[in-house]
Amino acid sequence: MRNRQIRRYWLLGAAVTTALFALLTALSNFRFENSDDAILLHAFMGFEGEPANFTLYTHTLLAYTFAALGKLWPGMAWYSLFQFGLLWVSGVVLVKCMAQLAGKRLAAGLWGVAAGTVLLGVFIAFSFCRISYTTTAAAAGAAAVAQALTADVTSPRRGSFVKAWLGGLLLLLGAYSLRAVSVLPPLAFMLLLFVWQLINAGARRETGAGYDRVSSGGGDGDAEQTATGGESKRLPLRSFLLVLAAFVLAFGGFIAIRKAEIAARGLQPYLDWQNARIQLMDYTDFQADTAPALAVDSGLTDAEVEMVRQWYFLDGNITTEALQAFAAAYPAQGTNGAFVSGFAFFRQNARYAYALGMLVLLCGFCWLGKREKPISVGLVATAALLGMAILLLYLGWRGRLIARAADSVLMPAAALLFGLALRKEPDKHRGKRIAALVVALVLLVAAGMHLRLTYHAVTRAADSTSLQRERELETYALQNPDLLIVRSPALLRDTRLFPDVSAGIPDNIILWGDWGCRTPGWNAQLARFGFDAAAFTAADWLRDNIVFATAQEADTADLCAYLADALGQPVTAEEAGSYGTLTFYRFAVTQEAASAQPG
């Protein structure tokens, strides 16, 4: 009977999630939230030549899968399809779990479905149509937390408890494959759940109690059994050990596979360089103020420092040591800065402030009703709320509290607090029932305002200008396959989930630097045009088969200054071609300087 009810909840979860996708399709335009995902998508689709089998963040197993699929079915955006699929599954699981936690009766389960719908609409709907691999991983992590919460320590059946946790583990591995760092918040919340369930099971073992209302989750939140005292109705410690072993083996295996690939392909120096680049570009004020970096003896000229500020990493002189020296010249954010950046973020992002308010209210709701022993739901909810605050403060202290990073913390926290509030029933005291009603009404108002803000966010018009430039760039590249076309990140704003490659896949466009540079695929792309990525110098820009793409000639000024400084001669940009709004430039030593050379 219970299995049949859970199957119904699966179907309801699928129906709600599919309906939400359909609604967003009608209201919004699905796209990547930023161009980071586009860089990955291009690599896996073959925009660098062969479909890539390594990126900075994508796990080895997933990267090789995308590479193999890219060879079997060229032109298909497998990376985008994977994210769509993971988002849909995450939505289904979240709604199913909320219904399961609300109770085994259908009427109670429908309230859970309604709560799950609010959870999706408030916390995850934006990420459904403004896709980022960071928030996709966060949504899967939130679903993993909800799935773990349904594990029932009151059940004597070891299989149901272990299966619930293994389901969460699969979702967490999917998130880890996209971006490992996004798994840390949900993993922390799942550890909190695991300890809570273990302590409750231990207390039940001591008292000899079996089924009661002190379930740490489970689909039988309204179970009619009370303490049975039956020795046979207690969850064996072996169940917890099996879950722990599964997590250790799975993550240990994934980490070992990644490390083995890095060692076998000699990629550690690349990762060291990327870590230095991340520290400098993401966690210091280098891009706003280069003065501290200019004062450092890094071996780079002022012109090269300015190019680094513009994410130029083609030059082989831009080494790990130089980037580390720059980063060390800037002060850390500090604790006070963490609070300041946190308050500033929520003040500037109203929809996140409403979401945070909802979670605080849900935590308060978990304290209503009878106090459970040995650890109450309210205490667990408070610990989760404090953990969420600590993680957000850490992000602010690191100087990296941005929307997608906040989502990585808020999504799993919301899944946990929604689930705890659903399975926590207030007692029959009239005052507490009224308090619960007041909390519910306040939540409804907050949800309504948050949804209005979300609606405004998801219905913004598409960025047509950038997409037009992408089409122009790709058309010109297909028409000139013998040219290596370099562009700066300033020209990149590609948010297409499914690029139109019906005319072919251009494999001769390269960024002069971003976090995707210096990968094996990036290096191989340069090598196909006769350039050594490790020893690229300013002189390589003078060759005939390399051009720079830009929307206006003024954008060549800093590059010309860098080339002139490196070569010791004036350099000019000469138009090599144009298409639409873009112009393509070659670089050469000025005729006057060339004629002045002896001989």
Side-chain angles (χ1 to χ4, degrees):
M1 185 70 177
R2 181 174 180 271
N3 289 337
R4 186 190 310 169
Q5 193 66 43
I6 293 178
R7 283 195 293 270
R8 290 177 182 171
Y9 293 156
W10 276 110
L11 292 174
L12 285 170
V16 168
T17 306
T18 302
L20 180 57
F21 267 100
L23 178 63
L24 291 172
T25 301
L27 294 176
S28 183
N29 43 82
F30 285 78
R31 64 177 187 245
F32 288 129
E33 175 64 2
N34 51 59
S35 297
D36 290 353
D37 285 271
I39 296 171
L40 290 170
L41 176 63
H42 289 175
F44 290 129
M45 288 185 70
F47 278 66
E48 295 176 345
E50 286 288 309
N53 56 21
F54 179 88
T55 71
L56 179 60
Y57 295 116
T58 313
H59 189 268
T60 304
L61 298 178
L62 192 59
Y64 272 90
T65 299
F66 288 148
L69 290 172
K71 291 179 180 179
L72 289 173
W73 292 279
M76 184 65 72
W78 295 107
Y79 175 76
S80 300
L81 290 173
F82 176 80
Q83 291 211 57
F84 265 119
L86 189 57
L87 284 169
W88 185 84
V89 169
S90 300
V92 172
V93 171
L94 282 167
V95 176
K96 185 275 299 185
C97 289
M98 295 304 114
Q100 190 176 346
L101 289 164
K104 67 180 181 180
R105 298 188 182 92
L106 182 59
L110 290 176
W111 282 108
V113 170
T117 303
V118 173
L119 172 60
L120 291 185
V122 172
F123 290 90
I124 302 180
F126 185 82
S127 298
F128 277 176
C129 55
R130 296 291 183 272
I131 295 175
S132 164
Y133 67 114
T134 304
T135 52
T136 298
V145 171
Q147 180 64 25
L149 187 55
T150 63
D152 189 1
V153 300
T154 67
S155 173
R157 296 178 309 222
R158 181 177 63 201
S160 62
F161 177 85
V162 174
K163 285 179 182 177
W165 271 95
L166 291 183
L169 175 59
L170 287 175
L171 287 162
L172 213 54
L173 290 175
Y176 183 84
S177 297
L178 270 180
R179 188 166 194 187
V181 71
S182 293
V183 171
L184 296 179
L187 194 58
F189 291 125
M190 292 175 81
L191 178 60
L192 173 65
L193 276 179
F194 186 81
V195 172
W196 179 43
Q197 292 173 352
L198 182 61
I199 292 174
N200 275 353
R204 197 162 289 105
R205 188 182 300 275
E206 291 177 5
T207 61
Y211 286 89
D212 59 16
R213 292 183 182 273
V214 194
S215 151
S216 64
D220 296 334
D222 56 352
E224 297 177 357
Q225 295 95 326
T226 56
T228 63
E231 185 71 17
S232 63
K233 293 185 176 180
R234 62 186 189 185
L235 191 66
L237 181 62
R238 189 182 308 167
S239 300
F240 290 92
L241 294 177
L242 284 173
V243 169
L244 185 61
F247 270 73
V248 171
L249 289 174
F251 278 102
F254 269 57
I255 292 171
I257 290 171
R258 179 72 166 179
K259 286 186 175 296
E261 179 197 25
I262 292 169
R265 301 176 69 174
L267 294 171
Q268 191 57 51
Y270 157 75
L271 294 177
D272 293 340
W273 183 89
Q274 281 289 1
N275 288 331
R277 192 273 309 161
I278 290 169
Q279 184 61 36
L280 174 66
M281 306 303 284
D282 292 350
Y283 295 104
T284 72
D285 293 328
F286 171 71
Q287 293 180 78
D289 178 18
T290 59
L294 290 170
V296 171
D297 183 15
S298 63
L300 300 183
T301 66
D302 291 359
E304 287 173 320
V305 172
E306 172 57 27
M307 292 304 293
V308 171
R309 188 188 69 81
Q310 298 182 39
W311 292 77
Y312 178 87
F313 302 127
L314 265 175
D315 198 316
N317 290 332
I318 303 171
T319 62
T320 302
E321 292 73 21
L323 298 179
Q324 289 172 337
F326 290 157
Y330 292 84
Q333 176 79 1
T335 305
N336 291 334
F339 282 103
V340 171
S341 63
F343 281 120
F345 172 80
F346 285 104
R347 186 174 63 251
Q348 297 165 7
N349 297 272
R351 65 191 188 91
Y352 285 96
Y354 281 116
L356 188 62
M358 286 189 68
L359 296 185
V360 172
L361 288 170
L362 281 171
C363 180
F365 183 76
C366 289
W367 281 101
L368 299 176
K370 66 180 181 180
R371 300 298 170 84
E372 301 175 352
K373 296 180 180 180
I375 298 179
S376 70
V377 177
L379 190 60
V380 176
T382 303
L385 199 64
L386 288 175
M388 179 191 72
I390 291 171
L391 288 169
L392 290 173
L393 283 174
Y394 172 75
L395 291 172
W397 176 75
R398 289 278 290 164
R400 193 64 174 163
L401 185 55
I402 55 180
R404 58 183 180 271
D407 281 329
S408 296
V409 176
L410 290 174
M411 285 185 189
L416 179 54
L417 288 166
F418 264 81
L420 290 173
L422 277 172
R423 62 156 304 282
K424 170 65 181 173
E425 299 176 9
D427 64 13
K428 296 182 179 180
H429 193 276
R430 181 174 178 272
K432 291 182 177 179
R433 288 203 307 273
I434 294 174
L437 178 61
V438 171
V439 170
L441 290 174
V442 173
L443 286 175
L444 184 62
V445 172
M449 298 191 73
H450 183 105
L451 288 172
R452 185 182 67 179
L453 292 166
T454 300
Y455 174 80
H456 172 72
V458 301
T459 54
R460 288 180 300 190
D463 181 12
S464 58
T465 302
S466 296
L467 301 184
Q468 176 187 347
R469 288 205 304 257
E470 292 297 323
R471 288 190 290 268
E472 292 172 351
L473 183 62
E474 290 165 12
T475 300
Y476 185 82
L478 289 170
Q479 293 174 353
N480 298 271
D482 296 329
L483 286 180
L484 178 64
I485 302 171
V486 182
R487 61 170 167 183
S488 73
L491 193 65
L492 174 67
R493 180 57 184 164
D494 191 356
T495 57
R496 297 169 298 171
L497 293 166
F498 301 97
D500 181 9
V501 292
S502 56
I505 298 177
D507 61 357
N508 54 333
I509 305 170
I510 193 169
L511 274 168
W512 76 17
D514 207 301
W515 58 261
C517 75
R518 301 200 183 191
T519 60
W522 194 83
N523 294 341
Q525 186 179 25
L526 282 167
R528 284 190 295 108
F529 290 88
F531 299 98
D532 183 351
F536 192 97
T537 66
D540 287 313
W541 278 99
L542 304 183
R543 293 173 51 175
D544 290 336
N545 66 335
I546 182 172
V547 296
F548 177 57
T550 182
Q552 51 189 356
E553 185 177 4
D555 293 336
T556 66
D558 289 329
L559 184 53
C560 283
Y562 152 73
L563 296 177
D565 181 73
L567 298 173
Q569 303 178 79
V571 173
T572 57
E574 302 173 350
E575 184 175 331
S578 64
Y579 191 91
T581 62
L582 298 179
T583 306
F584 302 86
Y585 292 92
R586 286 191 178 93
F587 296 89
V589 176
T590 58
Q591 292 298 321
E592 294 81 359
S595 60
Q597 295 295 323

